[in-house]
Amino acid sequence: MSTALDAVQLALAAALKGDAQLQGALGGSTMAPKVYDSLAPATARVPYLVLATSGESGLGVDFAREGHDGVETLRVTAADRLAAKRIYVHVARVLDGVTLALDGHRMLDGATSWVTDYRDPVTGETQAVIRYRVQTLVGTAA
Amino acid sequence: MKLTLATRNAAGLAANFYAADRRVQRAVRRVVERAGVREFERARADAPVDTGFMRSQLRLAFSEHGYLYELGFDEADFTGAGKPFYPLYVIFGTTKMPARDFLFGARDALRPAFRADLAAELRAAVRRRSAT
């Protein structure tokens, strides 16, 4: 069985890559999604999404069962703040209140929040930071 | 207390519900102080070091009553030294550099222990009230 962190990462990437509207907004497609792990390739053109960092704590979210609190940090790279906000609207639609199917774990809740944005020091493009907080229980039984 | 990029822990404000219970207020202040120091030490240890300037600018600030704290960076410390506010780039990444989140990561890792300590103090306060 995969860890909660692995399970969430896989399901998150699949959800983002598989959403046609989001990929359309990024200028990609579900066949050639513009979602990258850690660092975009040098050939990537804005806008795109990067799965930046992941973290979890072993907090029991349900006193009777073992669970996890996880945080995934996503980064939108876009021409400007407005363009990044447009992408965020799609990310929030794909993830907020949506129960992802996880391998070996059951998702309780998940929500995104816009953390901050800044200009990339090299390219001048906007980097927008989104946090996706997700709570899971170990096992798939309801 | 207003850092530019910071984690903020306000859970200790729960002590305000026990304004008449000085014992619980003292205990919560101790829990908050311990958590802040632990988070600071964890973030400092995990911070990547090139010149050491960024790590040296990590700030831990407690509120006047000691029930909440902020851990992070003040942009003025960087602009004052003629540097860009680059903790943003390190923590969240850039087009050329992957993210290395030593700040929010420290908070996420230590928050369960803080919650457990705080809950234990508040449960003890409730028990004391029930017994009187």
Side-chain angles (χ1 to χ4, degrees), chain A residues 1-4 7 68 101-107 136-140:
Chain A
M1 188 177 75
S2 61
T3 67
H68 295 86
L102 306 178
D103 177 24
H105 300 263
R106 185 159 69 89
M107 185 167 157
T136 60
L137 289 178
V138 175
T140 54

Side-chain angles (χ1 to χ4, degrees), chain A residues 21-139:
Chain A
Q21 283 185 59
L22 169 61
Q23 291 307 323
L26 290 167
S29 69
T30 55
M31 300 301 288
K34 292 177 75 179
V35 177
Y36 306 107
D37 186 26
S38 183
L39 202 60
T43 53
R45 300 185 64 172
V46 295
Y48 56 79
L49 258 175
V50 170
L51 306 176
T53 61
S54 303
E56 70 171 350
S57 54
L59 178 67
V61 290
D62 178 319
F63 290 116
R65 296 173 61 183
E66 186 186 355
H68 295 86
D69 257 356
V71 178
E72 301 285 333
T73 304
L74 314 173
R75 207 176 64 240
V76 179
T77 302
D80 55 37
R81 192 165 191 265
L82 188 60
K85 283 271 185 190
R86 286 197 193 102
I87 303 298
Y88 172 59
V89 169
H90 285 284
V91 172
R93 177 183 52 75
V94 173
L95 297 176
D96 282 355
V98 174
T99 304
L100 302 177
L102 306 178
D103 177 24
H105 300 263
R106 185 159 69 89
M107 185 167 157
L108 292 178
D109 193 22
T112 63
S113 58
W114 175 283
V115 178
T116 188
D117 60 274
Y118 53 95
R119 303 266 285 198
D120 189 279
V122 179
T123 63
E125 293 152 353
T126 291
Q127 302 283 2
V129 179
I130 299 167
R131 280 167 79 80
Y132 175 53
R133 185 162 180 214
V134 58
Q135 296 182 317
T136 60
L137 289 178
V138 175

Side-chain angles (χ1 to χ4, degrees), chain B residues 96-107:
Chain B
K96 307 292 180 197
M97 185 172 70
R100 296 179 67 180
D101 182 4
F102 60 91
L103 182 64
F104 296 91
R107 178 196 64 181

Side-chain angles (χ1 to χ4, degrees), chain B residues 1-50:
Chain B
M1 189 162 77
K2 193 67 188 156
L3 298 170
T4 313
L5 174 66
T7 70
R8 191 159 194 259
N9 187 348
L13 288 172
N16 283 336
F17 292 115
Y18 299 89
D21 190 334
R22 296 193 182 283
R23 201 164 135 197
V24 74
Q25 289 185 327
R26 275 197 306 273
V28 168
R29 275 197 296 270
R30 275 199 306 273
V31 169
V32 169
E33 183 181 0
R34 199 163 56 227
V37 171
R38 278 186 188 152
E39 204 173 301
F40 174 83
E41 287 173 348
R42 170 74 174 257
R44 198 171 189 283
D46 291 348
V49 176
D50 181 12

